[in-house]
Amino acid sequence: MTPVTKRVLAVVPGGLYAGAEMVLLRDLAAARERGWQVRVASGDCPLLERLDELGFAHVPIADLRLPAGPKPVALARLGGRVARAAVRLRSGLRPGEVLLANGLNVLPAIRAARTLGVRNPAVWLAHDVLVRGDRLRLMQASGAAVDLAIAVSEATAAPLRAVGIPTVVVWNGTTWPVELAPAEPPQPPVIGLSAVLTEHKGQMVLLDALGRMRNREAVVERMGGVLPKDGDFARTLQLRARRPDIAGRVRFLGHRTDPLARLRTWSVSVSASTAPAAGPLTALEAMAAGVPFVATRHGGVMEVLGDAGISVAPGDPAELAEALDRLLADPDLRARCRDAGPRIIEDLGLTIEAHQRRVVDHLDAVVPGTAAPES
């Protein structure tokens, strides 16, 4: 029997090189090790530097994110970009090449390519919990183009399954094993938040919580890049950090090349997201290192957190402040969280290697002549 040539073209909408893009490239590297030929289609974005480092071929397409400007004009411009991307996909796809959509914004271009006659298998890497009406409508309009969705949590999978999209869950993974954080937190205590700086990540909620805490020595460190569209919010956050109740107690670290090393210096790690997070890598990283984690009570993180941390209501700085004070003041609680995190990572197999194996198994299964993996 002639061996099947396995090819994948990953389609990226554009933007920062952040968590979703990092996971995508790791998965593609694992696929290449399993014999896949890999290409990546994207606009001009920070991802290109990493593609060059990894030796992945690049296929240029239009940026598939909603551009700036009045919404009617922005939607019209986006429609033109989607049409051009669909034509590019139709002309550039190779026989049997799997289309791998990295996120919801790619799906309209794949749906448009289908109308132009493209019949290549399409797999959607779903890493958002869809709750907004416009996002749900976009998914409903484009989901018919998807042969398989790979969701990062049950919370992510639920709305996809509700409209009939074949969906499997493959949880994100983290580096394992890793060096544990020190048993005794630093003094003064450090509360860390690792996320792209954008409003729905809850950075403002965390600063308001810091101002309400009984512990007046604790400091906040915010780690991560800034989306170009969120420059105004970044300035607003800087102004909030200078107000008298928290002045001198907030550190903006920006992007760090070794975030795990910094995370191990934190007393507590936080996800204060006001929108449901699909399956935040920051939670898994903190759990693996034994750093207690505080999460907002929605989204995928609640499926794995267990005793590795505590949860709070979204958008409630008073409850978040109480949770942080409790963790910093209770050594027994911190010890339970420290012990539970690594145990959960190991018991549930929430490692990078396990994640990659499962994703590539599902890619293999959409190639004609191969079998579906065990769930």
Side-chain angles (χ1 to χ4, degrees), residues 277-338:
L281 291 168
T282 53
L284 303 184
E285 291 166 348
M287 290 163 64
V291 176
F293 196 79
V294 177
T296 43
R297 200 177 295 120
H298 53 186
V301 67
M302 299 310 299
E303 298 167 25
V304 298
L305 182 62
D307 292 332
I310 54 182
S311 64
V312 298
D316 189 335
E319 187 173 345
L320 178 56
E322 178 61 32
L324 293 170
D325 274 323
R326 180 183 166 202
L327 271 168
L328 294 179
D330 189 338
D332 292 335
L333 176 59
R334 289 199 309 273
R336 290 196 297 273
C337 294
R338 175 183 168 82

Side-chain angles (χ1 to χ4, degrees), residues 35-119:
W36 284 76
Q37 297 177 12
V38 176
R39 299 191 298 162
V40 179
S42 75
D44 186 9
C45 64
L47 183 71
L48 297 185
E49 183 178 341
R50 292 291 296 133
L51 296 183
D52 185 60
E53 292 173 2
L54 292 167
F56 291 150
H58 178 242
V59 177
I61 61 169
D63 189 331
L64 297 174
R65 296 170 300 156
L66 185 69
K71 194 164 186 178
V73 176
L75 287 172
R77 290 175 59 197
L78 179 60
R81 293 178 180 181
V82 166
R84 291 195 300 275
V87 170
R88 182 72 178 90
L89 292 175
R90 182 189 64 176
S91 64
L93 275 167
R94 296 167 179 169
E97 191 168 32
V98 176
L99 279 164
L100 184 63
N102 191 50
L104 176 66
N105 289 341
V106 172
L107 297 192
I110 293 178
R111 180 63 186 268
R114 285 278 172 96
T115 67
L116 297 176
V118 168
R119 294 296 178 264

Side-chain angles (χ1 to χ4, degrees), residues 78 86 90 102 112 136 143 170 194 196 215 226 234 263 269 347 355 368:
L78 179 60
R90 182 189 64 176
N102 191 50
L136 289 167
V170 177
S194 177
V196 170
N215 188 319
V226 182
L263 184 149
S269 183
D347 289 349
H355 169 88

Side-chain angles (χ1 to χ4, degrees), residues 36-283:
W36 284 76
Q37 297 177 12
V38 176
R39 299 191 298 162
V40 179
S42 75
D44 186 9
C45 64
L47 183 71
L48 297 185
E49 183 178 341
R50 292 291 296 133
L51 296 183
D52 185 60
E53 292 173 2
L54 292 167
F56 291 150
H58 178 242
V59 177
I61 61 169
D63 189 331
L64 297 174
R65 296 170 300 156
L66 185 69
K71 194 164 186 178
V73 176
L75 287 172
R77 290 175 59 197
L78 179 60
R81 293 178 180 181
V82 166
R84 291 195 300 275
V87 170
R88 182 72 178 90
L89 292 175
R90 182 189 64 176
S91 64
L93 275 167
R94 296 167 179 169
E97 191 168 32
V98 176
L99 279 164
L100 184 63
N102 191 50
L104 176 66
N105 289 341
V106 172
L107 297 192
I110 293 178
R111 180 63 186 268
R114 285 278 172 96
T115 67
L116 297 176
V118 168
R119 294 296 178 264
N120 296 55
V123 176
W124 173 19
L125 296 180
H127 40 69
D128 295 297
V129 179
L130 301 180
V131 292
R132 277 175 30 194
D134 58 340
R135 305 289 281 172
L136 289 167
R137 289 189 293 272
L138 179 59
M139 180 262 292
Q140 291 167 348
S142 304
V146 174
D147 296 293
L148 178 70
I150 302 176
V152 297
S153 63
E154 294 293 342
T156 305
L160 281 57
R161 289 173 174 154
V163 298
I165 297 174
T167 304
V168 295
V169 173
V170 177
W171 250 90
N172 280 326
T174 188
T175 303
W176 179 260
V178 296
E179 179 184 353
L180 289 176
E184 291 300 319
Q187 294 299 326
V190 178
I191 301 161
L193 188 151
S194 177
V196 170
L197 197 156
T198 191
E199 192 165 2
H200 74 268
K201 296 294 186 180
Q203 287 103 341
M204 187 65 77
V205 177
L206 177 58
L207 296 196
D208 288 342
L210 181 65
R212 294 168 179 257
M213 289 179 63
R214 295 186 300 275
N215 188 319
R216 307 305 295 174
E217 295 183 350
V219 300
V220 161
E221 290 190 346
R222 197 215 68 83
M223 179 167 58
V226 182
L227 294 169
K229 68 180 181 65
D230 288 313
D232 289 343
F233 176 66
R235 287 185 285 275
T236 300
L237 205 67
Q238 293 274 2
L239 290 173
R240 175 66 183 91
R242 298 188 191 117
R243 284 170 52 180
D245 59 336
I246 58 174
R249 298 168 59 203
V250 181
R251 304 166 185 162
F252 293 93
L253 305 180
H255 174 73
R256 290 297 178 107
T257 57
D258 189 358
L260 288 177
R262 192 71 181 195
L263 184 149
R264 283 193 292 270
T265 69
W266 293 347
S267 313
V268 181
S269 183
V270 176
S271 172
S273 180
T274 57
L281 291 168
T282 53

